Amino acid sequence: MKMSLLLAMLALSRGAVSVVTAFNITAISAANNASRLECWQLAAPPISGRGAVNFALGDFDQAFVGIIPPNTTAGTINNAEQVQYSLIMAGLAHISTPYSGLPAHLNDVWIKGGRYGMLIAADLKEVAAKGHITTFPGQERTIIAQFPYAGNKVPEHCVLHAGPCTDLDLLEL
Ligand SMILES: *[C@@H]1O[C@H](CO)[C@@H](O)[C@H](O)[C@H]1NC(C)=O
Ligand SMILES: *[C@@H]1O[C@H](CO)[C@@H](O)[C@H](O)[C@H]1NC(C)=O
Ligand SMILES: *[C@@H]1O[C@H](CO)[C@@H](O)[C@H](O)[C@H]1NC(C)=O
């Protein structure tokens, strides 16, 4: 009786860990002094606990929530002011990186609020003189919680590929 319960628990926790093995996230990164989109896999390993598979995101400083009016379609070239993790909770963000030097289809991403509404912005001015453009073309407000990384520390990661994460990279989320 005790044994079978133990086995069931092991099966559950092993199942949970094997389902989500790594955390992938679209990043606005920089190369050759220009912003570019990349799909990052964070180095943080999956840790089972609290009924979840958990991935450490790092240490944040002075987080805030931004509320952006609907239909904000005028975008200017910008850089991340701080390295930050962004949680897009509602609305729609369109980010483009026209100066990356990459093929055009790798220079755009539309991020809807909700399940896949995550992004890391790391294209500080000093690494990307030619930045990115963000617009919020949704017909409702866009709500973004911003979590600046303490000391602008970029979380450890490897680059899965240039361009934003695709459905395949986010399959397990
Ligand atoms: C959104 O903005 C565009 C351009 O500024 C305008 O033509 C359009 O009517 C707006 N749509 C809504 C629903 O506000
Ligand atoms: C990036 O470009 C800016 C503006 O053209 C220039 O001032 C800066 O020195 C460049 N940085 C590097 C690392 O090449
Ligand atoms: C992250 O990407 C890897 C490689 O493409 C993939 O095997 C893994 O399932 C992805 N993780 C999630 C959470 O989708």
Side-chain angles (χ1 to χ4, degrees):
M1 197 52 185
K2 266 187 180 164
M3 183 68 126
S4 63
L5 182 61
L6 182 64
L7 283 176
M9 285 174 63
L10 275 177
L12 250 180
S13 63
R14 283 182 54 193
V17 169
S18 70
V19 168
V20 187
T21 52
F23 193 81
N24 308 329
I25 186 167
T26 296
I28 314 175
S29 187
N32 307 320
N33 211 358
S35 300
R36 69 158 64 189
L37 295 168
E38 290 176 346
C39 181
W40 287 4
Q41 183 162 89
L42 299 188
I47 296 168
S48 279
R50 293 167 264 184
V53 181
N54 304 283
F55 295 90
L57 286 174
D59 294 333
F60 299 121
D61 204 13
Q62 304 271 329
F64 60 99
V65 174
I67 301 164
I68 300 146
N71 201 18
T72 300
T73 50
T76 53
I77 298 175
N78 257 308
N79 291 87
E81 280 176 35
Q82 299 162 289
V83 177
Q84 59 189 22
Y85 169 82
S86 302
L87 200 54
I88 299 153
M89 299 157 71
L92 179 67
H94 172 219
I95 295 152
S96 60
T97 52
Y99 306 107
S100 72
L102 296 171
H105 72 279
L106 299 176
N107 286 337
D108 277 293
V109 64
W110 280 262
I111 302 181
K112 272 201 278 188
R115 187 175 197 90
Y116 304 107
M118 288 179 277
L119 175 78
I120 288 175
D123 61 334
L124 302 181
K125 190 80 186 167
E126 50 268 38
V127 290
K130 293 179 173 168
H132 67 268
I133 299 167
T134 309
T135 63
F136 304 93
Q139 295 305 299
E140 56 170 346
R141 290 188 184 94
T142 297
I143 302 177
I144 309 186
Q146 307 279 18
F147 300 87
Y149 276 100
N152 274 332
K153 190 171 181 288
V154 178
E156 276 184 57
H157 64 276
C158 66
V159 178
L160 287 180
H161 54 79
C165 293
T166 65
D167 290 352
L168 278 178
D169 303 313
L170 304 175
L171 205 58
E172 296 177 355
L173 292 182

